[in-house]
Amino acid sequence: MTFDPPGRKARPDRQNYGDRMPPGQRLSEDWPVLTAGAVPRIDLKRWAFRVWGEVEEELTLDWQEFMALPKTTVSADVHCVEGWSIMDNTWEGVAFQELVKRIHPKPEGRYVMVHSYGDYTTNIPLEDLLDDNVLLAYKHNGQELTPEHGWPLRLVVPKLYFWKSAKWVRGLHFMNEDRLGSWESRGYHRRGDVWREERYS
Ligand SMILES: Nc1nc2c(c(=O)[nH]1)N[C@H]1C(S)=C(S)[C@@H](COP(=O)(O)O)O[C@H]1N2
Ligand SMILES: [Mo]
């Protein structure tokens, strides 16, 4: 028996992932923490998730209301722009498609700015968020997220580099034009598609 700490998977040594491994990526043995700045302190009693901007129904949910939304489980690989990948992650949370049913984006609201506690932002076209494996996750491999990995809630967008998977997410701003988030305005690619190697601009 080997013991794997939460959030860490046994390394499938020399396993060949073939076409599942995107160009320029290699397996990581563990799950690094990559945060610009400090881990924000979050009080669940005051936590809120908001959707605003170019939508028919703006939305504010507290933690209980968010947890009452239908749950989904997604298996997906993580690919960081710096070249490490973690395969076969299980994420549990609320599908973006589930949220979108409630907010009815306006036709002009095709661009989303994701906002996090602690001021991090990242821009994602609505079309990319509509993939059926995009979710707002509160669990990873069966465990609640840890503070440094985004507790209580993070976005997960498997086909984009991991900087787009915002930790400590607090809201989505639907916009009529694409604007640049924290890393995108510092030279990271506007879109960040893993399969097209859209790393930097
Ligand atoms: N709010 C917030 N989300 C964030 C970041 C951050 O600094 N703040 N870093 C991004 C980057 S660059 C990466 S690679 C991943 C790292 O997630 P991890 O620390 O859980 O591995 O989170 C992304 N989401
Ligand atoms: Mo990153």
Side-chain angles (χ1 to χ4, degrees), residues 153-167:
L153 190 70
R154 81 181 293 164
L155 179 66
V156 177
V157 189
K159 81 171 175 205
L160 304 180
Y161 286 114
F162 206 34
W163 87 78
K164 298 282 190 180
S165 290
K167 303 192 277 190

Side-chain angles (χ1 to χ4, degrees), residues 78-103:
V78 159
H79 306 295
C80 173
V81 69
E82 289 166 16
W84 53 265
S85 294
I86 305 170
M87 312 305 271
D88 299 310
N89 302 272
T90 302
W91 301 101
E92 188 181 320
V94 175
F96 182 81
Q97 289 185 355
E98 189 63 51
L99 268 182
V100 101
K101 283 189 217 160
R102 282 151 222 265
I103 57 193

Side-chain angles (χ1 to χ4, degrees), residues 24 27 30-31 38 43 50-51 56 60 63 70 116-117 122 129 167-168 174 187 201:
L27 266 191
D30 50 21
W31 189 9
D43 177 356
R50 292 187 57 216
V51 180
E56 299 294 348
T60 304
W63 182 248
S116 293
Y117 286 98
T122 188
L129 292 171
K167 303 192 277 190
W168 314 293
F174 281 68
S201 57

Side-chain angles (χ1 to χ4, degrees), residues 23-49:
Q25 297 296 115
R26 60 190 178 278
L27 266 191
S28 168
E29 283 189 53
D30 50 21
W31 189 9
V33 172
L34 276 134
T35 301
V39 173
R41 266 177 241 260
I42 293 173
D43 177 356
L44 275 193
K45 287 192 229 89
R46 290 204 260 157
W47 182 92
F49 179 81

